[in-house]
Amino acid sequence: MNTLAFLLTQIVNALSQSALLFFLGVGLTLIFGLMRIVNFAHGALYMLGAFVGYSLTKWSGNYWVALAVAPVVVGLFGAAFEFAILRRLYRRDAHAFLMVTFGLALVVGEAVRLTWGPDALQVPAPDLLAGVMFILDEPFPLYRLFLVATGVIVAVAIWQFLERARLGLLIRATSQNADMASALGVDVKRVRSAVFGIGCGLAALGGVLAAPLVTASNGMAATVIIDAFVIVIIGGMGSFLGSLIGALLVGFVQVFGNYYLPDLALAFMYLVMLAILMVRPGGLLGKEA
Amino acid sequence: MSAGLRALLVAVVVVLAAAPFGLPPFAMTLLTEALILGLFAMSLDLMFGYTRLVSFGHAAAYGLGAYACGFMLLHTDMPLLFVVFGAALLTGIVAIGVGWICTLATGVSFSMLTLAFAQLLYAISFKWTSVTGGSDGLAGIPRTAGPFGFDALTSKTGFYYLVLACLVGAFLVCFALVRSPFGAVLRGIRENEAKTIALGYNTRLYKIAVVAVAYALGGLAGALYAPFAGFANTELLFWLLSGQVLIMVIVGGSGTLVGPILGAAFFMLMEHQLSSWTEAWALYFGLIFIAFVLFAPQGIWGVATAWLQRSRNPTRAS
C-alpha cells in the first residue's frame, strides 16, 4: 500500500468519524446556545435513534425509511420532554437542567435496554451503499463516503437554515438575547421547544447513520456523550462553526491517534481539550469564559 | 444546627456503632458501602452545596484514592491505617493542581474542566497497565494489619468501625470548616462571587483550597472503598459515578452536609430494593430523580427540617 493511498484512507475514515460526531455536537451546541442547557441525555437520544432506526428498517425493510423517520420520532420526543419538564426549570439554576437531563439519560438508557434487549443489533447498510469503491487502487467502503457526503450536506443545510430561514433568524435572536427577543414579540417558549427537538433529532440522525457501522448497542450512549461534550467545549459552547471545527479536530485526533499512538489516543484527546480551555476558557469560538 | 438536631445526630452515631451487634453480615456489607458513599457525597457537598462549584468529575477523587490505596496495599507492606490516609493526602495534593487549572474557568466551563480531568484519569487507568492493571483493574487488595501487630481492621467489623470513624471525623472537620470564617467566604462565593471579590477576598485561592479539601475527603472515601471491596477498577473513575454522586447530594439536600450522607444511603437502598423488585431499577431511579429536581430541590434533609420547623412553630412561617 503506498503512502498516499494510505493517508487518503485514513483521511476518509477521519472525515466520516467527524461527520458522525458533528451530528451530536451541533445539536448539543444549538441547545446550549439557546437555553444554557447542557443536555446530558444527548448520548441516550443518539442511542435511541439507532434502535428506532433498527426497528423501522426491520418493519419497512428499507433503511431509507428509517433514516428519514427515526430522527423525526426522536425529535418529537425531545420537544415533548422540553414542553413537559424543562419548561418548568428556566427560572432555576443551570445545574437543575444538568440533573434533569442526567435523569432522562438514565430513563432512556434503561427503556432502550428493556425494549430491545441487552444484545447489540445489526443494522444492514442499504444495498446501494454496501460495496466498495476503488480510489488509487485502494478499496473504500461506500458507506463511509456516504457518511462524509451526508455530513457536508447537513452542515450546509443547518448553516443555511440558521442564516436564511425565519426560524433560524428567531433562534439566533433568542440565543443572543432572549428577553429582548421576547419583548419584540418572539414566542421564545416555542423557539426553545423547537430547538430542543431539532437538537435531539440531529443526535438521532447520527445514531441511525452510525448503526450500520458500529451496530446498535446499549453501550453506545456512554462513550459518545463525552466525545460530544469534548467537541462542544473545544469549539465553544453555542457556536455552530465551533462544533464543526471541534468535530473535525476530535475525528482526526481519534483516527490518526489510534493508528500512530494507540496507547495515548484517548488521553491525547482530553489533553488537547485541557490545553485549549486553559488558553481560551470559553472554547475556540466561544464568547464567554 | 439546633440542640435537638445535634442530639439526633449523636443518637444516630450511637445506633450505627451498635449496628454490628444486631445486623446480619450481608446488611453490614451494605451499610459499610453506604457510609463510604456517604463520605464521598459529603465531600462533594463542600464544593457543590457551599461554594456552588459544580464538579462533574468527582469520580476523579474517588478513583485516585482507590487506586493509590490499592497500589500501596498490593505492592508494599505498609499497614492499611497509614495507607488509607496517605492515599487521601495524595489525592488532596493532586487536587491543588486540578483546582488551580479548573478555577481558571467558571460556571459550566468549570464543570466541563473537572469532567475532562476525570476522563483523563479514566483514559490513563486503561493504559498505564503496570500500575493500574488496565481494564482488569487491581484485584485481591489486602487489608494489611499493623502497625505493631494491630489487626482489628482486618476483620469486616473492625473495618466498619474504621469507616464509621472516618465519616464522623470528616463530618466534624467539614462542619467546623463551613462555620468558620473560611466557610463564610465560601458561601459568599456561592451567593455572589463578584461582591466577594470586591470585599477584598482572593476568591480563586479559596476555591482552590475547597477543591483540595473536597478531593482529599473524596479520596479518603475511595481509599476506604478499595480495601472494602478488595478491588479497584476503571468504573471508579468513569463519569457515570460523578453523575451518581451529584444525584446523591441533590436528592439528600445540598449545602447541609448531613443531607448528602442520607442521599447516599437512599441511593444504595433504592439500588438494592428496586433491583430486587424489578429489573428496570435505573428507569424508576431516573424518574424519582427527575421528580426530586422538579418538586423538592431542597432534597430529603431540606424537606425534613422544613417540616420539623413548621410543626414546631406553626405561627412562624418559613
Side-chain angles (χ1 to χ4, degrees):
Chain A
M1 185 190 276
N2 70 52
T3 331
L4 184 66
F6 167 76
L7 211 60
L8 205 60
T9 320
Q10 292 292 53
I11 287 173
V12 170
N13 281 346
L15 283 174
S16 61
Q17 178 77 1
S18 303
L20 286 177
L21 292 169
F22 172 71
F23 295 127
L24 278 163
V26 73
L28 207 56
T29 213
L30 277 179
I31 291 171
F32 183 85
L34 196 68
M35 304 148 96
R36 308 284 128 184
I37 293 178
V38 179
N39 181 20
F40 231 100
H42 222 68
L45 294 165
Y46 166 84
M47 176 172 77
L48 184 63
F51 278 94
V52 171
Y54 166 82
S55 287
L56 284 168
T57 310
K58 221 177 152 191
W59 173 74
S60 68
N62 189 339
Y63 178 76
W64 303 104
V65 173
L67 188 60
V69 177
V72 177
V73 172
V74 177
L76 287 175
F77 171 76
F81 182 77
E82 196 281 340
F83 186 78
I85 309 271
L86 291 179
R87 193 165 277 195
R88 302 159 180 266
L89 296 174
Y90 288 110
R91 286 156 196 267
R92 298 258 301 272
D93 277 359
H95 65 260
F97 294 113
L98 209 66
M99 283 166 302
V100 163
T101 54
F102 185 81
L104 179 66
L106 285 180
V107 171
V108 170
E110 195 64 20
V112 164
R113 200 175 65 84
L114 289 172
T115 313
W116 281 278
D119 301 324
L121 299 173
Q122 192 76 47
V123 179
D127 294 339
L128 187 64
L129 301 173
V132 291
M133 187 176 159
F134 284 89
I135 304 173
L136 294 173
D137 292 337
E138 283 302 317
F140 281 92
L142 273 177
Y143 195 76
R144 284 201 177 267
L145 294 170
F146 166 68
L147 284 181
V148 177
T150 319
V152 173
I153 291 167
V154 171
V156 171
I158 294 174
W159 174 51
Q160 286 300 308
F161 165 74
L162 286 174
E163 288 293 320
R164 308 207 171 194
R166 175 159 172 77
L167 182 57
L169 177 74
L170 296 184
I171 289 172
R172 282 186 292 136
T174 312
S175 68
Q176 268 193 4
N177 190 334
D179 291 338
M180 187 59 81
S182 178
L184 291 171
V186 177
D187 189 345
V188 170
K189 284 182 175 172
R190 273 168 68 182
V191 174
R192 282 175 173 154
S193 293
V195 164
F196 199 77
I198 291 172
C200 295
L202 282 168
L205 179 64
V208 187
L209 285 168
L213 209 60
V214 297
T215 74
S217 72
N218 284 292
M220 67 195 290
T223 40
V224 96
I225 182 70
I226 299 297
D227 289 348
F229 278 163
V230 171
I231 291 164
V232 172
I233 294 162
I234 286 179
M237 300 203 120
S239 162
F240 164 73
L241 193 60
S243 69
L244 186 61
I245 295 172
L248 285 169
L249 205 62
V250 171
F252 273 81
V253 165
Q254 278 181 350
V255 169
F256 280 85
N258 267 331
Y259 187 78
Y260 290 105
L261 300 161
D263 281 347
L264 298 174
L266 197 56
F268 190 62
M269 191 171 86
Y270 300 118
L271 283 175
V272 168
M273 170 174 157
L274 277 175
I276 288 174
L277 280 185
M278 283 175 71
V279 182
R280 288 186 63 90
L284 287 176
L285 298 176
K287 283 169 280 188
E288 60 207 291
Chain B
M1 186 175 286
S2 68
L5 280 179
R6 205 169 296 190
L8 178 71
L9 288 182
V10 171
V12 168
V13 171
V14 170
V15 170
L16 285 174
F21 299 104
L23 289 178
F26 167 68
M28 283 310 298
T29 309
L30 278 182
L31 186 60
T32 311
E33 189 172 354
L35 294 188
I36 293 174
L37 281 177
L39 175 58
F40 183 38
M42 186 181 71
S43 73
L44 180 60
D45 198 26
L46 281 181
M47 285 171 67
F48 178 82
Y50 287 92
T51 327
R52 201 52 91 236
L53 287 171
V54 185
S55 167
F56 232 95
H58 210 50
Y62 199 66
L64 193 60
Y67 270 108
C69 180
F71 182 80
M72 285 192 277
L73 285 174
L74 277 172
H75 297 283
T76 69
D77 295 330
M78 280 190 284
L80 175 74
L81 198 58
F82 296 168
V83 168
V84 164
F85 292 105
L89 193 66
L90 179 80
T91 312
I93 291 169
V94 172
I96 295 174
V98 176
W100 186 79
I101 292 177
C102 292
T103 51
L104 286 169
T106 54
V108 176
S109 298
F110 173 86
S111 305
M112 292 299 139
L113 272 174
T114 55
L115 177 65
F117 250 110
Q119 285 300 115
L120 184 61
L121 288 185
Y122 177 71
I124 290 172
S125 73
F126 260 104
K127 296 296 180 188
W128 198 11
T129 318
S130 57
V131 170
T132 64
S135 55
D136 296 335
L138 301 174
I141 296 169
R143 293 198 277 264
T144 315
F148 312 118
F150 173 69
D151 63 353
L153 300 179
T154 55
S155 73
K156 279 199 164 176
T157 308
F159 189 74
Y160 169 76
Y161 281 112
L162 174 67
V163 172
L164 184 60
C166 284
L167 179 61
V168 171
F171 175 77
L172 293 175
V173 168
C174 291
F175 189 64
L177 202 66
V178 297
R179 280 162 53 108
S180 69
F182 177 80
V185 179
L186 295 187
R187 280 196 296 279
I189 294 171
R190 176 181 72 186
E191 299 302 333
N192 191 335
E193 184 166 0
K195 208 178 260 182
T196 314
I197 294 172
L199 285 171
Y201 291 101
N202 184 349
T203 56
R204 185 152 172 238
L205 227 51
Y206 282 84
K207 289 199 276 188
I208 295 172
V210 77
V211 169
V213 174
Y215 270 60
L217 292 176
L220 179 62
L224 288 169
Y225 183 79
F228 160 74
F231 67 86
N233 60 19
T234 52
E235 297 261 306
L236 304 180
L237 286 165
F238 198 44
W239 64 265
L240 207 57
L241 183 65
S242 301
Q244 283 169 345
V245 70
L246 255 184
I247 292 186
M248 295 174 204
V249 173
I250 311 264
V251 167
S254 67
T256 61
L257 295 180
V258 184
I261 303 174
L262 283 178
F266 180 76
F267 184 90
M268 283 282 304
L269 199 71
M270 276 294 162
E271 180 172 12
H272 189 249
Q273 282 303 319
L274 287 177
S275 65
S276 69
W277 289 332
T278 160
E279 210 189 327
W281 75 271
L283 182 78
Y284 295 102
F285 193 79
L287 292 175
I288 290 172
F289 179 59
I290 292 177
F292 258 102
V293 177
L294 282 180
F295 304 114
Q298 66 277 55
I300 297 173
W301 185 248
V303 171
T305 48
W307 183 76
L308 272 178
Q309 262 167 11
R310 217 173 318 152
S311 62
R312 202 172 295 164
N313 299 324
T315 48
R316 245 179 45 201
S318 89

